[in-house]
């Protein structure tokens, strides 16, 4: 293999140097200290260490040790010879003028037959300025201190949360091996140890090759460093992004879930064309259950045929044709790298499977893997749920794979692939849910071609799917949480990637995608489109939750799919989809608090003069205060901005230097921001949460004619509103005329300095509009006292409501609580039981003064009274098999607590029950003759001395498989309130299923171990 720097120059023209440099002598220049540098970096090497400097710094930001005489070539390359058994080797450090990174590879020639498991690169030590007490580490394992990160796949950032100054150390490639990064603290300095893992790479003597490529760089803002890293990936693999589609996934649907069926697909498609197609809806993806096969381990895996008695009896082609006729891209789920060794379909194909190179567990030893899959040497290699791994190096399998994929894409007509079980193409064990590094059995397999590594086999399989499907197929990989090695190994081979585990419509599972979407945001729109799994708007979840998760997907620009049964959605929920579905296709969006919180609360999307500030409160029960300087947000602190709150449909008064907001629990604010000018400016529109960035073009102010004009992409008969701001005072503007083409009517409301112009488009497409102004004196908008102020006391909270007049409100409590609120409600959780509180509410005006307040007094409920202990069930849930189960950490435990100890609450032991870790969800089928559901739930005693433990339990009745009704919930269970709760629920209007949830309370899941004890069904009639 050619040395890295030659390959880079030959295949990536953005690094091409003048021809004279290419022809220059490569004779090493020996020196005690050797230096190379470019616009960004300087690298020096002596006989003891290599030092990396940011170009304008006098001290290095990092070093690593060497014991050699460095050599330098005229190509800005350092060569560091190193002694390694069985090879002639040298580390090569390269700088390129257009890159802010130093590139490090190990180049070598084998002098004997080798089997390489891994290369450990020299440990990198960061300078003392990167204080371990102040700097955080961000990797696939999340945001931690340097000595608490268990290992990250492919990328690692070390950054200061407030300044964002940091270092990026990441693996650029994973074409044969897989890169891991381990951080630590040694002698009060942060260290990073890069490891390049191959499992088993067999090399005959005399072969010249190279390791994977490591990059290192220092950045004033480490977010830009992560983005630069993603751009380097895109350059190296020549990635050209396809436009991000938006659509529907059948799997989680609250009606016709799984694969759906022929009739439901047609019904959905007809409704989607009417209600969503003009708003960006473009694909319909059929999930698991359509295919043939026979499996005891995961899905059936014959994807060449459909089930004749299954959901699509007329065949998959007919449905694809129907969708295509309605201008909807047909999408399909399948597992191209998986088979089932004991399925009769594969009886004559046993040679197609990867074989295990070991017997596991060894004779007489216990199987210690999470999934207890046994392996026998030289027998088909089996993985949990994924089944038997097809050998991507076997020509017979390659031909089969190409035939299968071509049939699905070209014969049947599916142009959107959701490829599941991706790790089976690499033939290593499943580690689901896998974020932090965990050792696996990489390399303990036998391929048809023994000279191919696991990663190479995987990439070969992905490449064959791409080639057989064709360039017009959009490929979604699913998912890296099954085994994170597939993340780097998929670079350049997929259009989108599931970045986290399966989600769902419960609060805890809604948050699972955004957690990974925060830490891995920089991949999005550069390497692939991040897929956080579907959003949910179904009427059974609070409207605020629906707006939050859809707005998050929309503003961050990640892949957007929903999984709710559209024909049953209320118009209110359909409207949420319309205002969030279309992807803005921009990549200039980033989390503001990336290094402050594992789940970012603040994101900024910017394009030219437009800015969208998105605020998310991921705490289900607690409001959250956002208080950041405009500079920290990413805006000019010397400018004055005005804002528009999209969901609250209100203008915000001028903002300068600092942004302050209170975000109610489980909700969001999407605020369009624009610099306040001495002329009219377009601030927002009604089209989309990312407007006007999404659809407005060519906004122009003509100072001669006093005319503001622009072009907007609109939807026929969907009233389109332009929201504008003019300055207050004597030198301002009054709107006197509005015109637009292809509209049926228009109207204007100017309330002082705020203006709303509404058009009704006659057709879908672009319209051009003009707004003519005249000079005028303009006063601030009028202000009035709040109306219909109400209060309701509930357990642990007081719920306040009022009539929203489209303004902000100042809410005060008699004991000094003070918050600024937009909207029409506020829930106060910071109360004491049995206490009287007086609240006052004032409307805020444009100039930051307030109206006269309105007042209300309410008394909180007294101390919690635990319901009486119910009778023991006749059928315990621990004796039943759940139809669905998810646990926040590890498996759900039967008749023992989460840690395996006895089920114990407040010192009392229970024989029967379920031990879980928040956030958990379990669904049981209701026995036919059951009349009551009884339960005792509490915090397990195992962590009773830790005040962080806090949970809340909920019980839902599910009727007809579609309607989820909350029938009971506990207050927050924790050390300082109550730790146990009881339920006795009659099964009135008998549900089909019961869903049990134990969730964290917005403060993380540490020590949140819950027990459902003496829980189950009573059969005795009431």
């Amino acid at each position: 293999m050619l040395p890295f720097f030659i390959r880079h120059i030959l295949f990536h023209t953005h690094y091409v140097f003048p021809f004279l440099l290419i022809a220059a002598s490569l004779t090493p220049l020996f020196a005690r200290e050797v230096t190379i540098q470019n616009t960004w970096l300087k690298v020096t090497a002596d006989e003891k260490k290599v030092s990396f400097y940011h170009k304008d710094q006098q001290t290095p930001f990092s070093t690593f040790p060497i014991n050699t005489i460095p050599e330098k070539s005229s190509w800005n390359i350092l060569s560091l010879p190193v002694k390694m058994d069985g090879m002639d080797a040298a580390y090569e450090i390269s700088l390129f003028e257009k890159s802010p990174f130093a590139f490090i590879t190990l180049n070598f020639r084998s002098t004997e037959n080798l089997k390489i498991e891994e290369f450990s690169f020299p440990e990198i030590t960061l300078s003392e300025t990167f204080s371990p007490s102040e700097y955080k580490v961000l990797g696939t394992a999340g945001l931690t201190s340097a000595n608490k990160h268990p290992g990250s796949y492919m990328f690692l950032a070390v950054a200061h949360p407030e300044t964002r100054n940091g270092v990026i150390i990441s693996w650029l490639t994973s074409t044969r091996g897989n890169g891991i990064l381990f951080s630590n603290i040694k002698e009060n300095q942060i260290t990073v140890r890069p490891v390049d893992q191959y499992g088993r790479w067999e090399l005959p003597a005399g072969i010249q090759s190279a390791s994977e490529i490591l990059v290192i760089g220092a950045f004033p803002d480490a977010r830009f460093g992560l983005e630069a890293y993603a751009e380097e990936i895109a350059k190296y693999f020549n990635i050209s992004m396809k436009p991000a589609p938006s659509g529907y996934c059948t799997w989680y649907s609250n009606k016709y879930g799984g694969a759906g069926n022929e009739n439901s697909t047609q019904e959905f498609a007809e409704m989607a064309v009417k209600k969503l197609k003009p708003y960006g809806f473009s694909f319909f993806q059929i999930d698991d259950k359509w295919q043939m096969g026979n499996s005891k381990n995961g899905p059936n895996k014959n994807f060449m045929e459909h089930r004749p008695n299954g959901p699509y009896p007329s065949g998959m082609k007919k449905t694809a044709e129907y969708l295509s006729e309605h201008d909807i891209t047909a999408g399909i789920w399948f597992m191209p790298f998986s088979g089932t060794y004991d399925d009769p379909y594969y009886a004559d194909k046993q040679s197609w499977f990867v074989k295990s190179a070991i017997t596991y567990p060894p004779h007489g030893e216990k199987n210690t893997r999470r999934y207890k899959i046994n392996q026998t040497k030289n027998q088909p290699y089996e993985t949990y749920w994924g089944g038997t791994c097809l050998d991507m190096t076997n020509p017979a399998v390659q031909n089969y794979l190409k035939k299968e994929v071509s049939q699905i894409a070209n014969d049947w007509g599916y142009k959107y692939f959701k490829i599941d079980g991706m790790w089976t193409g690499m033939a290593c064990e499943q580690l689901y849910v896998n974020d932090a590094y965990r050792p696996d059995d990489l390399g303990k397999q036998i391929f048809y071609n023994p000279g191919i590594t696991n990663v190479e086999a995987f990439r070969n399989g992905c490449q064959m799917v791409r080639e057989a499907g064709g360039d017009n197929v959009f490929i979604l990989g699913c998912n890296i949480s099954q085994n994170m090695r597939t993340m780097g190994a998929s670079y350049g081979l997929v259009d989108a990637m599931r970045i986290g585990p399966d989600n769902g419509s419960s609060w805890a599972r809604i948050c699972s995608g955004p957690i990974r979407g925060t830490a891995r945001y920089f991949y999005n729109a550069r390497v692939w489109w991040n897929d956080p799994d579907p959003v949910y708007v179904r009427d059974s979840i609070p409207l605020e939750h629906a707006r939050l998760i859809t707005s998050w997907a929309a503003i961050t620009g990640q892949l957007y799919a929903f999984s709710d049964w559209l024909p049953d959605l209320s118009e209110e929920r359909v409207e949420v989809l319309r205002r969030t579905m279309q992807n803005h296709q921009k990549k200039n969006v980033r989390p503001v608090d990336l290094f402050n919180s594992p789940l970012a609360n603040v994101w900024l999307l910017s394009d030219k003069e437009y800015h969208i500030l998105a605020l998310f409160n991921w705490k289900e029960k607690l409001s959250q205060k956002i208080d950041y300087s405009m500079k920290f947000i990413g805006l000019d602190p010397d400018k004055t901005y005005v804002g528009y709150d999209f969901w609250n449909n209100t203008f915000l008064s001028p903002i300068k230097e600092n942004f302050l907001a209170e975000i109610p629990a489980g909700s969001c604010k999407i605020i369009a921001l624009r610099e306040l000018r001495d002329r009219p400016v377009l601030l927002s529109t009604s089209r989309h949460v990312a407007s006007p960035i999404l659809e407005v073009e060519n906004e122009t102010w003509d100072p001669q004619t006093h005319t503001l004009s622009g072009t907007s992409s609109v939807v026929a008969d969907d009233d389109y509103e332009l929201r504008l701001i003019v300055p207050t005072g004597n030198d301002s503007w009054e709107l006197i005329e509005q015109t637009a083409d292809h509209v049926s009517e228009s109207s204007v409301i100017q309330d002082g300095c705020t203006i709303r112009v509404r058009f009704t488009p006659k057709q879908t497409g672009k319209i051009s509009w003009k707004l003519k102004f005249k000079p005028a004196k303009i006063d601030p908008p009028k202000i009035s006292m709040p109306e219909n102020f109400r209060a309701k006391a509930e357990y642990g909270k007081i719920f306040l409501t009022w009539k929203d007049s489209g303004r902000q409100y100042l809410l005060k409590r008699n004991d000094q609580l003070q918050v600024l609120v937009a909207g029409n409600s506020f829930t106060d959780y910071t109360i004491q039981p049995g206490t009287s509180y007086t609240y006052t509410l004032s409307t805020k005006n444009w100039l930051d003064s307030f109206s006269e307040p309105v007042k209300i007094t309410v008394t909180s409920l007294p101390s919690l009274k635990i319901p009486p202990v119910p009778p023991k069930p006749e059928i315990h849930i621990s004796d039943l098999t759940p139809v669905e189960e998810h646990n926040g950490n590890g498996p759900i435990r039967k008749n023992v607590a989460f840690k395996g100890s006895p089920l114990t609450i407040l010192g009392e032991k229970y024989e029967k029950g379920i031990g879980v870790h928040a956030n958990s969800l379990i669904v049981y089928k209701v026995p036919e003759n059951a009349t009551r559901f009884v339960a005792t739930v509490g915090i397990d005693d195992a962590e009773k001395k830790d005040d962080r433990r806090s949970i809340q339990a909920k019980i839902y009745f599910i009727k007809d498989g579609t309607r989820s009704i909350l029938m009971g919930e506990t207050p927050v269970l924790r050390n300082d309130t109550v730790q146990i709760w009881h339920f006795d629920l009659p099964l009135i209007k008998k549900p089909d299923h019961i869903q049990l949830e134990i969730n964290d309370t917005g403060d993380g899941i540490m020590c949140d171990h819950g027990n459902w004890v003496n829980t189950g069904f009573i059969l005795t009639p009431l």
Side-chain angles (χ1 to χ4, degrees):
M1 181 178 288
L2 290 170
F4 162 66
F5 69 92
I6 297 180
R7 286 182 281 129
H8 229 48
I9 290 174
L10 290 179
F11 299 113
H12 297 275
T13 57
H14 65 292
Y15 290 141
V16 169
F17 280 59
F19 179 79
L20 288 176
L21 278 181
I22 297 177
S25 169
L26 300 182
T27 302
L29 300 177
F30 293 89
R32 300 292 294 177
E33 181 175 279
V34 182
T35 299
I36 59 174
Q37 60 186 8
N38 65 5
T39 304
W40 312 80
L41 298 171
K42 180 176 74 171
V43 182
T44 66
D46 56 28
E47 297 177 357
K48 294 183 178 181
K49 68 179 183 301
V50 177
S51 301
F52 298 86
Y53 299 76
H54 196 277
K55 188 65 179 297
D56 57 1
Q57 299 295 320
Q58 298 300 313
T59 57
F61 62 82
S62 65
T63 61
F64 70 73
I66 58 172
N67 184 19
T68 187
I69 299 176
E71 305 168 5
K72 176 186 175 183
S73 84
S74 57
W75 283 23
N76 236 11
I77 308 296
L78 282 179
S79 181
L80 310 171
V82 60
K83 293 180 180 180
M84 302 185 78
D85 292 340
M87 62 179 70
D88 295 325
Y91 286 106
E92 177 184 280
I93 303 176
S94 311
L95 295 182
F96 301 96
E97 192 55 41
K98 294 186 178 180
S99 175
F101 291 103
F103 297 78
I104 309 173
T105 57
L106 178 66
N107 292 331
F108 62 91
R109 184 181 64 83
S110 57
T111 56
E112 59 186 62
N113 295 338
L114 296 176
K115 287 186 179 179
I116 299 171
E117 293 186 9
E118 66 178 37
F119 291 125
S120 286
F121 276 41
E123 188 170 63
I124 299 168
T125 300
L126 272 59
S127 72
E128 294 177 350
T129 58
F130 295 88
S131 169
S133 63
E134 297 178 1
Y135 278 72
K136 296 291 187 181
V137 167
L138 177 69
T140 59
L143 184 67
T144 70
S145 59
N147 61 345
K148 299 294 185 181
H149 204 88
S152 179
Y153 296 83
M154 299 305 292
F155 75 89
L156 196 74
V158 180
H160 191 283
E162 305 307 324
T163 66
R164 303 195 188 99
N165 174 63
V167 173
I168 308 300
I169 304 173
S170 300
W171 292 99
L172 179 66
T173 63
S174 178
T175 56
R176 183 179 283 132
N178 197 254
I180 315 295
L181 298 139
F182 299 96
S183 63
N184 207 343
I185 299 172
K186 295 182 179 180
E187 298 180 358
N188 204 34
Q189 287 182 265
I190 296 174
T191 64
V192 177
R193 180 168 61 90
V195 180
D196 185 12
Q197 298 182 336
Y198 296 87
R200 184 173 62 187
W201 180 13
E202 298 185 6
L203 279 174
I207 297 297
Q208 182 173 330
S209 195
S211 70
E212 302 299 338
I213 304 166
L214 184 74
V215 297
I216 179 170
F219 299 86
D221 187 331
R223 297 177 304 169
F224 296 118
L226 288 167
E227 293 164 18
Y229 164 63
E231 296 287 0
E232 292 292 344
I233 296 169
K235 292 172 185 176
Y236 187 89
F237 291 100
N238 197 26
I239 295 172
S240 178
M241 295 293 299
K242 288 185 172 72
S246 300
Y248 174 75
C249 166
T250 60
W251 182 247
Y252 305 95
S253 181
N254 43 350
K255 192 173 184 179
Y256 305 114
N261 60 56
E262 280 184 14
N263 294 332
S264 68
T265 296
Q266 292 184 15
E267 180 184 359
F268 187 103
E270 291 172 4
M271 185 68 71
V273 169
K274 294 177 183 177
K275 291 191 171 185
L276 295 178
K277 193 74 176 70
Y279 298 89
F281 182 88
S282 61
F283 73 83
F284 183 102
Q285 181 248 306
I286 297 167
D287 221 282
D288 181 19
K289 308 296 185 187
W290 63 266
Q291 71 280 10
M292 283 288 286
N294 183 7
S295 175
K296 302 171 193 163
N297 180 17
N300 296 337
K301 301 177 184 75
N302 174 4
F303 301 102
M304 294 293 291
E305 305 173 68
H306 72 284
R307 289 165 50 203
N309 297 321
Y312 295 89
S314 301
M316 305 311 294
K317 182 175 182 178
K318 179 180 177 181
T319 293
E321 289 175 342
Y322 181 88
L323 292 170
S324 182
E325 289 168 1
H326 288 73
D327 195 25
I328 296 172
T329 298
I332 199 165
W333 168 98
F334 68 115
M335 301 172 68
F337 310 137
S338 304
T340 305
Y341 76 94
D342 55 356
D343 183 342
Y345 177 75
Y346 288 99
D348 61 346
K349 305 176 180 68
Q350 295 297 297
S351 63
W352 288 12
F353 296 123
V354 176
K355 304 301 188 295
S356 178
I358 60 171
T359 294
Y360 183 88
H363 181 69
E365 294 188 17
K366 185 179 179 180
N367 191 329
T368 58
R369 290 177 179 168
R370 178 175 183 179
Y371 300 111
K372 310 302 183 184
I373 297 292
N374 295 337
Q375 300 296 155
T376 302
K377 188 173 181 178
N378 295 320
Q379 294 302 305
Y381 179 78
E382 186 82 353
T383 71
Y384 177 77
W385 188 84
T388 323
C389 298
L390 292 169
D391 189 340
M392 295 296 109
T393 74
N394 187 324
V397 174
Q398 295 172 357
N399 291 334
Y400 176 81
L401 178 66
K402 293 173 184 177
K403 181 180 178 182
E404 174 188 76
V405 172
S406 181
Q407 174 177 282
I408 293 172
N410 303 315
D411 297 344
W412 293 353
Y414 288 87
K415 301 299 182 183
Y416 178 103
F417 288 175
K418 179 180 176 181
I419 299 177
D420 208 346
M422 290 189 74
W423 87 95
T424 60
M426 197 176 293
C428 54
E429 63 185 292
Q430 188 193 133
L431 301 176
Y432 188 84
V433 173
N434 172 215
D435 288 303
Y437 172 72
R438 290 166 61 189
D440 57 16
D441 60 358
L442 186 76
K444 303 298 191 296
Q445 300 80 22
I446 302 170
F447 291 96
Y448 177 90
N449 183 346
I452 296 294
T453 68
N454 296 61
V455 171
E456 285 179 298
F458 173 81
R459 288 188 63 85
N460 288 346
C462 291
Q463 188 63 47
M464 285 183 282
V465 171
R466 167 65 71 200
E467 292 172 356
D471 288 339
N472 61 344
V473 171
F474 187 95
I475 297 177
L476 164 63
C478 179
N479 64 60
I480 58 178
S481 282
Q482 293 165 337
N483 190 306
M484 285 291 297
R485 294 192 187 278
T486 60
M487 184 174 77
S490 296
Y491 289 172
L493 297 173
V494 296
D495 300 303
M497 176 61 84
R498 265 281 298 281
I499 53 171
D502 288 3
N503 71 2
S505 60
S506 69
W507 178 251
R509 293 175 70 189
I510 279 176
C511 295
S512 65
I515 290 172
R516 281 82 182 180
T518 294
R520 301 160 199 172
Y521 87 94
F522 53 91
Y523 286 117
N524 192 60
R526 295 178 178 89
V527 177
W528 51 52
W529 298 104
N530 284 348
D531 173 26
D533 223 18
V535 300
Y536 299 90
V537 298
R538 58 192 57 173
D539 288 82
S540 61
I541 68 174
L543 178 61
E544 290 79 11
H545 293 183
R547 285 177 170 174
L548 178 141
I549 191 57
T550 56
S551 297
W552 181 85
I555 295 301
T556 63
Q558 309 202 24
L559 193 71
Y560 189 111
F562 72 101
S563 195
D564 302 298
W565 181 243
L566 178 60
D568 287 351
L569 287 179
S570 66
E571 187 61 22
E572 177 185 59
R573 303 309 174 104
V574 174
E575 185 68 4
V576 173
L577 291 174
R578 289 171 178 155
R579 304 307 161 200
T580 56
M581 176 169 287
Q582 190 168 340
N583 194 296
H584 55 65
Q585 312 289 335
K586 307 290 185 183
K587 59 184 179 182
N588 192 22
V589 55
R590 54 184 59 96
V592 170
D593 50 346
L594 176 65
F595 304 113
N596 305 80
S597 172
L599 183 47
N601 298 287
V602 183
W603 292 72
L604 182 67
L605 166 65
S606 296
D607 188 56
K608 301 174 183 175
E609 296 183 4
Y610 304 121
H611 308 284
I612 309 294
L613 184 63
L615 314 172
F616 303 98
N617 183 357
W618 301 104
K619 298 177 180 179
E620 188 181 14
K621 296 295 183 181
L622 298 173
S623 63
Q624 186 165 358
K625 185 178 181 180
I626 302 296
D627 187 1
Y628 285 132
S629 70
M630 299 301 276
K631 181 179 180 181
F632 186 75
I633 288 170
L635 299 173
D636 191 334
D638 296 324
K639 292 181 179 179
T640 299
Y641 293 86
V642 284
Y644 191 89
D645 187 328
F646 185 89
W647 290 119
N648 287 307
N649 195 24
T650 181
F651 290 91
L652 303 183
S653 53
I655 305 160
K656 189 176 181 180
E657 295 182 354
N658 216 56
F659 185 90
L660 173 65
E662 188 82 17
I663 315 300
S667 70
C668 68
K669 290 184 185 296
I670 309 301
I671 299 171
L673 291 173
R674 190 88 183 266
E675 182 190 355
L676 183 62
R677 306 282 292 275
D678 59 359
R679 63 168 178 83
V681 294
L682 174 65
L683 184 54
S684 176
T685 83
S686 58
R687 171 64 186 86
H688 190 274
V689 291
S691 294
I693 290 174
L694 178 83
E695 88 286 8
V696 174
E697 300 174 358
N698 305 319
E699 181 197 343
T700 304
W701 170 251
D702 186 338
Q704 303 301 317
T705 62
H706 303 162
T707 301
L708 187 71
S709 60
T711 302
S712 298
S713 297
V714 296
V715 176
D717 299 318
D718 181 35
D719 285 346
Y720 181 68
E721 187 175 89
L722 303 172
R723 289 90 180 241
L724 301 100
I725 291 288
V726 295
T728 58
N730 295 325
D731 299 321
S732 189
W733 306 92
E734 180 183 347
L735 181 59
I736 58 174
E737 182 182 341
Q738 73 279 354
T739 58
D741 54 8
H742 310 300
V743 299
S744 59
E745 55 185 76
S746 65
S747 62
V748 173
I749 298 175
Q750 181 163 1
D751 180 10
C753 56
T754 67
I755 304 172
R756 299 175 186 266
V757 182
R758 180 169 293 185
F759 300 113
T760 303
K762 293 190 290 187
Q763 63 185 39
T764 298
K766 292 185 178 182
I767 64 169
S768 296
W769 44 264
K770 289 185 178 181
L771 309 176
K772 188 173 180 59
F773 294 82
K774 71 174 183 179
K777 177 184 177 183
I778 297 297
D779 296 322
K782 299 179 178 64
I783 188 170
S784 58
M785 293 171 61
E787 299 178 12
N788 300 331
F789 192 29
R790 300 285 185 266
K792 180 181 178 182
E794 299 177 359
Y795 272 124
K797 60 186 177 184
I798 293 175
F799 187 56
L800 303 164
T801 60
W802 57 90
K803 181 180 179 181
D804 185 13
S805 62
R807 301 292 182 213
Q808 289 185 304
Y809 304 90
L810 181 65
L811 179 69
K812 295 182 179 181
R813 197 174 70 189
N814 57 301
D815 60 351
Q816 306 304 313
L817 172 74
Q818 180 171 309
V819 294
L820 194 62
V821 182
N824 67 342
S825 66
F826 180 81
T827 303
D828 187 0
Y829 294 95
T830 61
I831 61 170
Q832 298 297 319
T835 304
S836 179
Y837 294 98
T838 298
Y839 296 89
T840 59
L841 186 72
S842 305
T843 308
K844 181 182 177 183
N845 77 355
W846 192 254
L847 299 178
D848 289 339
S849 60
F850 296 90
S851 70
E852 290 296 316
V854 293
K855 183 183 299 185
I856 195 167
T857 300
V858 60
T859 300
S860 61
L861 295 181
S863 298
L864 294 171
K865 184 177 180 181
I866 301 172
V869 178
K872 291 185 177 181
E874 297 172 60
I875 299 177
H876 288 264
I877 59 169
S878 56
D879 295 330
L880 301 175
T881 300
V883 298
E884 183 180 359
E885 61 178 70
H886 303 277
N887 208 33
N889 185 19
I892 286 169
R893 309 294 295 270
K894 287 188 177 184
N895 299 324
V896 292
F898 169 72
K899 285 192 170 182
S901 55
L903 292 161
T904 310
I905 305 172
L906 292 175
E908 183 175 351
K909 293 183 180 180
Y910 298 83
E911 295 296 323
K912 304 284 284 185
I914 299 290
V916 301
H917 191 302
N919 295 291
S920 71
L921 178 150
I922 321 174
V923 179
Y924 296 94
K925 187 175 181 180
V926 177
E928 278 195 29
N929 52 349
T931 60
R932 294 157 70 192
F933 181 77
V934 294
T936 292
V937 63
I939 313 177
D940 184 71
D941 282 351
E943 306 287 349
K944 63 183 179 182
K945 294 183 179 180
D946 197 314
D947 289 334
R948 292 176 297 176
R949 63 179 194 150
S950 62
I951 62 173
Q952 184 179 37
K954 296 182 179 182
I955 300 175
Y956 291 87
F957 286 4
I958 302 174
K959 182 71 172 174
D960 301 326
T962 60
R963 291 186 292 114
S964 184
I965 304 168
L966 179 63
M967 295 301 296
E969 65 178 326
T970 68
V972 172
L973 306 181
R974 61 187 183 216
N975 288 358
D976 60 350
T977 56
V978 295
Q979 298 173 38
I980 194 168
W981 204 255
H982 307 293
F983 296 98
D984 190 344
L985 304 174
L987 299 178
I988 302 170
K989 296 181 180 180
K990 185 176 177 181
D992 306 314
H993 295 83
I994 281 186
Q995 178 172 303
L996 308 180
E997 293 185 11
I998 286 184
N999 296 317
D1000 75 280
T1001 58
D1003 59 352
I1005 64 172
M1006 291 298 295
C1007 308
D1008 290 351
H1009 305 167
N1011 298 331
W1012 293 98
V1013 297
N1014 291 341
T1015 297
F1017 301 94
I1018 290 178
L1019 309 182
T1020 307
L1022 293 171

